[in-house]
Amino acid sequence: MKYFLFLNHPKGESVYKVSEKREQLLREHFKRVDVLRTEVEVRGEKYEAVVDYSAFSNLGNFDCFNCQDPCCADNPIIYEKHTREFVLDNLKEYNELTKNVDILLELGYEFEDVITSIESDFAMVPDENVEEEVSLCTCSYKPNNKSTLCSLHSICLNRGLEGKEIVEIKPLVCSLWPIDIVIDEEEKLLYITVPDDFTTGFTIEDYYNTVCVNRDLSQSASFRRKNPEGFKFEDYKPIIISYGETLKYSLGEKFYNDVKKVLLDEELVFAEEFEEKEKQIFKKIKK
């Protein structure tokens, strides 16, 4: 088994391979909970999937603008060709946000070297500068001295792109995090869930360190010391709602509609809740 969203991670198998212990825990979990079998479409490819659907009624709050914990802590993928082309097409704005071109020029690189790096290096900057002069994810930027945001997402919003286009341009793992997907290549099957206190034994992320999907953690004194604003208790909504557009365009409308229907049928979410939530994918910095 492998962590599906990290298959193209520059560190390879050491990141995406699921250990035997975690695989056993995953299989036990999916035997224990009610599941939905559906079809998922990712980057034009279709997969059969088993979904721990009740996890999508868990509460989430993706309040990036008020968070000082940078989930964009590294480069989780070797960037795809279309993402590189998007950066080159919007190089001026990309540099204004990230300062990456200016940093490399200050280090003595020629402009042509910078373009070549965006076209070919795994993180779009020379390997020796990853996590050194260019800290955090290559595409991250700080609009202030607090939060860390995605330059790709911001440029998409500034250009007025639709949700589907935003998801296609960004690396898939960046859109879906912290959703967890494991692929069993022998069964040709995806296992999909969300980190929580039942799944933390086998998911790639630690639930207890992920305030986005842990409302109790948002109320802790240690979290509030670093993040005194935002992450309001009442702003946590079921993930199928708070991440609805992202799920629809990342995993396909069938996945979204099937999960939404079973959650409504079992009254784990309610129809009126869907009318209240602003679409998370289109949120901008308030000026």
Side-chain angles (χ1 to χ4, degrees):
M1 284 187 156
K2 300 175 180 177
Y3 292 110
F4 182 73
L5 297 176
F6 292 86
L7 288 176
N8 198 25
H9 195 284
K11 295 181 181 178
E13 188 175 279
S14 64
V15 171
Y16 68 65
K17 184 175 175 59
V18 180
S19 69
E20 291 184 7
K21 180 180 179 180
R22 288 186 173 228
E23 179 178 339
Q24 181 181 352
L25 290 171
L26 179 148
R27 292 190 183 281
E28 290 174 356
H29 176 79
F30 275 85
K31 287 178 181 177
R32 186 168 60 248
V33 299
D34 292 330
V35 297
L36 166 72
R37 294 187 75 99
T38 186
E39 182 181 81
V40 168
E41 184 169 355
V42 180
R43 296 293 202 247
E45 296 288 331
K46 293 184 178 180
Y47 303 86
E48 292 298 312
V50 177
V51 184
D52 176 12
Y53 64 82
S54 67
F56 288 87
S57 67
N58 292 353
L59 299 177
N61 181 12
F62 305 98
D63 190 7
C64 302
F65 303 124
N66 289 304
C67 186
Q68 293 194 49
D69 293 345
C71 61
C72 303
D74 61 6
N75 295 279
I77 193 170
I78 299 172
Y79 289 97
E80 298 164 280
K81 182 180 179 182
H82 65 269
T83 303
R84 299 171 188 272
E85 291 173 347
F86 180 80
V87 169
L88 290 172
D89 289 343
N90 297 275
L91 191 60
K92 183 176 183 293
E93 186 174 359
Y94 174 78
N95 182 52
E96 288 174 351
L97 296 175
T98 67
K99 308 297 186 290
N100 287 346
V101 175
D102 291 342
I103 289 170
L104 295 179
L105 293 177
E106 284 181 355
L107 290 171
Y109 290 94
E110 298 293 333
F111 184 74
E112 292 76 12
D113 298 329
V114 176
I115 299 301
T116 299
S117 183
I118 293 172
E119 293 173 334
S120 58
D121 288 328
F122 84 84
M124 296 193 289
V125 295
D127 294 356
E128 58 267 26
N129 305 118
V130 175
E131 292 300 326
E132 297 298 331
E133 292 82 6
V134 179
S135 61
L136 303 179
C137 171
T138 307
C139 293
S140 68
Y141 79 100
K142 295 181 74 66
N144 47 48
N145 288 334
K146 299 178 181 180
S147 55
T148 301
L149 301 178
C150 174
S151 63
L152 300 175
H153 199 136
S154 293
I155 295 169
C156 287
L157 292 176
N158 291 340
R159 288 184 54 184
L161 300 187
E162 298 295 324
K164 185 174 186 296
E165 296 172 297
I166 295 172
V167 168
E168 288 174 348
I169 287 166
K170 290 176 63 177
L172 190 67
V173 63
C174 301
S175 292
L176 282 174
W177 190 92
I179 307 302
D180 216 345
I181 305 177
V182 174
I183 183 169
D184 186 321
E185 293 179 315
E186 290 185 7
E187 296 180 10
K188 298 181 179 178
L189 192 65
L190 300 181
Y191 292 84
I192 305 177
T193 189
V194 177
D196 63 18
D197 49 358
F198 297 105
T199 66
T200 190
F202 62 82
T203 54
I204 198 168
E205 296 289 346
D206 183 354
Y207 165 70
Y208 294 106
N209 290 326
T210 311
V211 70
C212 308
V213 289
N214 185 338
R215 186 164 66 166
D216 291 338
L217 180 60
S218 74
Q219 305 305 302
S220 70
S222 59
F223 178 79
R224 283 298 167 192
R225 177 178 171 83
K226 294 186 295 182
N227 299 268
E229 299 176 5
F231 290 98
K232 296 178 181 177
F233 200 76
E234 64 272 18
D235 287 343
Y236 280 77
K237 306 292 181 182
I239 288 172
I240 190 65
I241 298 171
S242 58
Y243 239 21
E245 295 292 304
T246 298
L247 294 171
K248 183 187 302 181
Y249 295 124
S250 298
L251 301 175
E253 291 198 30
K254 178 172 174 53
F255 168 86
Y256 172 77
N257 290 330
D258 286 352
V259 174
K260 177 180 177 181
K261 182 178 185 303
V262 71
L263 292 178
L264 287 170
D265 289 346
E266 297 192 7
E267 296 186 342
L268 294 172
V269 297
F270 298 94
E272 56 268 25
E273 295 179 89
F274 287 83
E275 300 171 3
E276 300 173 357
K277 185 66 182 174
E278 179 185 358
K279 295 177 180 178
Q280 185 267 349
I281 197 171
F282 296 119
K283 284 186 176 180
K284 293 185 178 182
I285 300 172
K286 294 180 180 180
K287 298 181 179 180

